[in-house]
């Protein structure tokens, strides 16, 4: 009987929590946007030029033509200081400032400065970067592992990367080259 009661409680809580989250809606006041819950209680004040939910936990906001990310409680995760922000994985956002891209983590910590033409996550731990048509590699902490001097870099094994430079191929082993 106790197990059934616990199951019913958990089921009811899950249903109510899901309804509340799904019932949040964008609202406007004096030309600004915010978010209210199902009872029309403001949970994120109407201070943004636009706001859109991008996941169950985050909203993309625009304020004075700058993009930022806030969490469901309205707390700024990434301040409104970028031209664009795109969530590229569960933990990372690609930011654009002055037409250069960088990476910010879910806690708002800048991992990779906005100095690259493009960034691609190629594994959980590594990103390839492109600057002036040359490719490099940074790790999850933003440390430059391979400078931007290659035509192409691809991962072939753990800590091993195939590189191409001036039509020649090579293997870059992080265990040896560090």
């Amino acid at each position: 009987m106790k197990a059934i009661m616990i199951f019913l409680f958990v089921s009811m809580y899950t249903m109510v929590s899901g309804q509340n989250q799904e019932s949040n809606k964008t609202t406007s006041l004096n030309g600004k946007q915010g978010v209210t819950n199902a009872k029309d209680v403001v949970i994120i004040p109407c201070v943004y030029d636009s706001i859109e939910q991008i996941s169950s936990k985050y909203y993309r906001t625009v304020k004075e033509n700058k993009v930022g990310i806030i969490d469901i409680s309205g707390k700024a995760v990434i301040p409104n200081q970028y031209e664009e922000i795109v969530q590229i994985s569960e933990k990372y956002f690609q930011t654009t400032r002055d037409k250069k891209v960088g990476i910010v983590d879910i806690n708002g910590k800048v991992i990779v400065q906005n100095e690259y033409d493009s960034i691609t996550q190629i594994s959980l731990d590594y990103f390839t970067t492109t600057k002036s048509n040359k490719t490099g590699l940074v790790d999850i902490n933003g440390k430059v592992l391979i400078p931007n001097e290659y035509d192409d870099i691809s991962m072939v094994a753990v800590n091993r990367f195939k590189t191409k430079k001036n039509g020649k191929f090579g293997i870059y082993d992080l265990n040896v080259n560090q």
Side-chain angles (χ1 to χ4, degrees):
M1 183 69 171
K2 187 175 181 179
I4 292 172
M5 293 298 288
I6 291 172
F7 172 77
L8 288 173
F9 175 75
V10 170
S11 296
M12 288 175 58
Y13 177 78
T14 303
M15 287 173 41
V16 170
S17 296
Q19 285 175 348
N20 286 342
Q21 192 170 10
E22 291 173 9
S23 299
N24 293 344
K25 60 186 179 211
T26 303
T27 188
S28 296
L29 179 65
N30 298 327
K32 299 293 182 178
Q33 293 186 336
V35 176
T36 59
N37 66 15
K39 295 179 181 179
D40 287 330
V41 173
V42 174
I43 57 175
I44 298 173
C46 295
V47 296
Y48 298 101
D49 299 327
S50 73
I51 187 169
E52 70 175 302
Q53 192 164 11
I54 59 172
S55 73
S56 62
K57 296 179 183 177
Y58 299 104
Y59 288 88
R60 178 184 177 276
T61 62
V62 177
K63 194 174 193 179
E64 299 175 9
N65 293 321
K66 296 293 182 181
V67 180
I69 301 292
I70 60 174
D71 65 16
I72 194 81
S73 70
K75 177 184 169 209
V77 175
I78 302 173
N80 289 76
Q81 60 187 20
Y82 296 97
E83 295 159 8
E84 186 58 78
I85 298 176
V86 177
Q87 189 167 10
I88 59 172
S89 72
E90 188 176 318
K91 296 181 180 181
Y92 299 100
F93 296 91
Q94 180 174 295
T95 58
T96 303
R97 185 182 341 202
D98 299 325
K99 299 183 182 178
K100 297 293 182 181
V101 295
I103 302 291
V104 176
D105 74 10
I106 205 149
N107 299 311
K109 178 183 174 194
V110 175
I111 303 297
V112 177
Q113 294 293 330
N114 292 79
E115 61 184 67
Y116 297 100
D117 300 323
S118 68
I119 296 176
T120 304
Q121 188 169 14
I122 61 171
S123 75
L124 291 175
D125 297 321
Y126 301 111
F127 298 93
T128 56
T129 58
T130 304
K131 186 190 286 186
S132 301
N133 292 321
K134 294 296 181 181
T135 303
L137 184 78
V138 298
D139 69 9
I140 205 75
N141 299 310
K143 180 181 178 188
V144 175
L145 302 173
I146 302 175
N148 288 79
E149 56 188 46
Y150 293 89
D151 300 321
D152 191 39
I153 296 174
S154 58
M155 190 170 190
V156 294
V158 175
N159 294 330
R160 285 189 150 172
F161 300 87
K162 181 172 104 176
T163 58
K164 179 181 177 186
K165 186 175 185 179
N166 300 325
K168 297 182 180 181
F169 294 90
I171 296 293
Y172 198 100
D173 187 330
L174 294 179
N175 296 323
V176 174
N177 294 86
Q178 290 295 314

